[in-house]
Amino acid sequence: MYVVAGLNTGTEHYRAKYQSRCIRWINENMAKHNTRGDNIKVDIPEPLIIKKAEDETGRLLLLQKLLMLKAETRL
């Protein structure tokens, strides 16, 4: 099981059995503006990360890893 989560908040946005479905979800659900090819702007509420989560315990481990990664990026 894979999870698309927000890097800053750890919010789970999507969950799927395969990593490729998470990538597809990101590509389909993040809005693109001015897609003529010159200036493309993408609306993403926060940086997203795809992580493997096994079960409910995996969700807690994922949150812990995301919080640790967030703390490391602030250093």
Side-chain angles (χ1 to χ4, degrees):
M1 196 57 116
Y2 291 88
V3 175
V4 177
L7 182 61
N8 298 331
T9 62
T11 304
E12 183 179 310
H13 295 283
Y14 182 72
R15 180 175 277 260
K17 185 175 181 180
Y18 302 106
Q19 184 178 14
S20 61
R21 295 201 185 239
C22 291
I23 294 168
R24 180 181 295 168
W25 181 87
I26 291 171
N27 289 334
E28 290 175 353
N29 290 288
M30 296 299 113
K32 294 179 184 175
H33 301 286
N34 194 8
T35 56
R36 293 170 52 153
D38 43 348
N39 275 331
I40 297 174
K41 296 179 182 171
V42 180
D43 287 337
I44 300 176
E46 61 181 326
L48 298 175
I49 189 167
I50 299 173
K51 282 292 203 173
K52 189 168 185 169
E54 303 302 331
D55 52 13
E56 284 300 317
T57 306
R59 284 185 185 202
L60 295 175
L61 291 174
L62 172 67
L63 275 174
Q64 288 175 344
K65 287 179 184 178
L66 287 172
L67 290 173
M68 288 174 56
L69 185 59
K70 182 181 175 184
E72 289 175 3
T73 57
R74 289 187 177 188
L75 297 177

